[in-house]
Amino acid sequence: MKRYKQWLLLGIAIVLTACTSKNQFEIEGTLVNIPDGEMVYLNKVDENHADELIKLDSVVVKNEGFKFAGKAEYPTLGYLSFRNHKGRIPLFIESGKTQVHMDLSNFTSFDLKGTLNNEMLSEFERNLSLYKYSLLSYQGEQQSVYMEAMKQKDEAKMQQILQKYKKMQEDQQVFIANYLEQNEASLTALYYLYYTSKDDFSPLKRVYDNLSETDKKSNLAQLAVEKMK
């Protein structure tokens, strides 16, 4: 009887440990161009106000790295920010280990590895930033050329520049449309549509309806529900 009780207690302990570890998160960062002594903040988006951040924790950068740990019952949209530098990194605070690699001189180059939601968000943001960078670069490079063509009344040259810029914009929209179609059950798709949808909320609703029950309990999903009312 005594041995039976011991096995029973051991079984309960194992179950409790498994349940506890399931909700544990770790966020470990590797940094470039960020000096030791800099303060890193882990924030979550307020589930009632998307433009407000709630600070969850803060750590000091040491040996070009940092680490956060805690509990996250459901995926939570949040941001990493810094005391002495502008810019922030979006990520999902969720069970599991997320590895962050970033260069302070280029916030768009951040990379997230470890959990599915964060890897999807990182890949989408990285690809989207490449399209945006190409558009801005082309605009900057061609501005003086376009002005000169306008001065010379060179309609053909002006149209050539505008058509290429339009084509680049269309390529970006094709990328976004394809991503949303292929990942319509993801928090990353919800993230993009939540912050870009204005009048037509049907794509946002479609993504929300396809989310898992766990993801529907995230702060981002709660914000999406309020926006669609």
Side-chain angles (χ1 to χ4, degrees):
M1 188 69 176
K2 183 177 180 181
R3 183 178 294 274
Y4 170 77
K5 289 183 177 180
Q6 289 176 336
W7 280 109
L8 180 61
L9 291 173
L10 178 60
I12 293 173
I14 291 173
V15 170
L16 290 175
T17 300
C19 291
T20 301
S21 61
K22 184 179 179 181
N23 295 327
Q24 295 290 327
F25 76 83
E26 286 186 15
I27 300 172
E28 190 170 2
T30 303
L31 310 173
V32 178
N33 294 320
I34 300 180
D36 283 3
E38 172 64 285
M39 186 72 76
V40 187
Y41 301 100
L42 177 63
N43 314 279
K44 76 169 185 175
V45 175
D46 190 327
E47 54 268 18
N48 298 310
H49 304 283
D51 56 346
E52 294 184 13
L53 297 181
I54 300 173
K55 188 177 78 171
L56 299 178
D57 201 355
S58 61
V59 293
V60 176
V61 175
K62 185 177 181 181
N63 297 324
E64 299 182 330
F66 65 86
K67 183 177 181 179
F68 292 105
K71 292 183 179 180
E73 188 172 358
Y74 308 112
T76 301
L77 177 62
Y79 291 90
L80 293 173
S81 60
F82 300 84
R83 179 178 56 194
N84 297 319
H85 298 85
K86 294 182 179 180
R88 59 188 188 181
I89 304 299
L91 81 169
F92 290 106
I93 305 166
E94 59 182 352
S95 61
K97 184 174 182 178
T98 299
Q99 295 175 314
V100 183
H101 183 274
M102 63 166 296
D103 186 336
L104 192 61
S105 64
N106 182 8
F107 272 83
T108 61
S109 67
F110 73 93
D111 185 42
L112 305 176
K113 297 290 185 184
T115 66
L116 180 59
N117 281 323
N118 279 318
E119 289 187 357
M120 292 181 70
L121 176 62
S122 175
E123 181 182 12
F124 176 76
E125 286 287 288
R126 182 167 55 253
N127 283 297
L128 185 59
S129 69
L130 290 175
Y131 283 100
K132 291 180 178 179
Y133 178 78
S134 295
L135 281 167
L136 288 173
S137 296
Y138 182 76
Q139 189 176 30
E141 292 166 358
Q142 298 300 317
Q143 184 174 7
S144 60
V145 179
Y146 185 85
M147 295 302 292
E148 181 62 26
M150 182 183 293
K151 183 178 178 180
Q152 299 296 327
K153 298 182 179 180
D154 188 344
E155 294 291 337
K157 185 65 175 178
M158 293 165 61
Q159 284 301 314
Q160 180 185 10
I161 294 171
L162 290 175
Q163 287 300 318
K164 184 173 180 180
Y165 186 77
K166 183 179 179 181
K167 178 61 167 56
M168 294 172 70
Q169 287 181 312
E170 291 173 349
D171 289 344
Q172 176 178 305
Q173 291 306 310
V174 168
F175 160 72
I176 293 171
N178 288 339
Y179 183 89
L180 295 177
E181 181 180 355
Q182 296 167 12
N183 301 276
E184 61 178 11
S186 70
L187 282 176
T188 295
L190 192 74
Y191 168 78
Y192 174 79
L193 289 170
Y194 176 80
Y195 285 104
T196 58
S197 298
K198 294 182 180 180
D199 300 316
D200 181 10
F201 296 144
S202 56
L204 182 65
K205 185 178 186 307
R206 183 167 59 252
V207 171
Y208 173 82
D209 289 342
N210 285 319
L211 292 177
S212 68
E213 291 306 311
T214 298
D215 287 348
K216 282 183 178 179
K217 295 177 181 178
S218 66
N219 59 343
L220 179 59
Q222 293 177 49
L223 287 166
V225 169
E226 288 300 314
K227 186 168 188 174
M228 292 185 291
K229 286 183 177 178

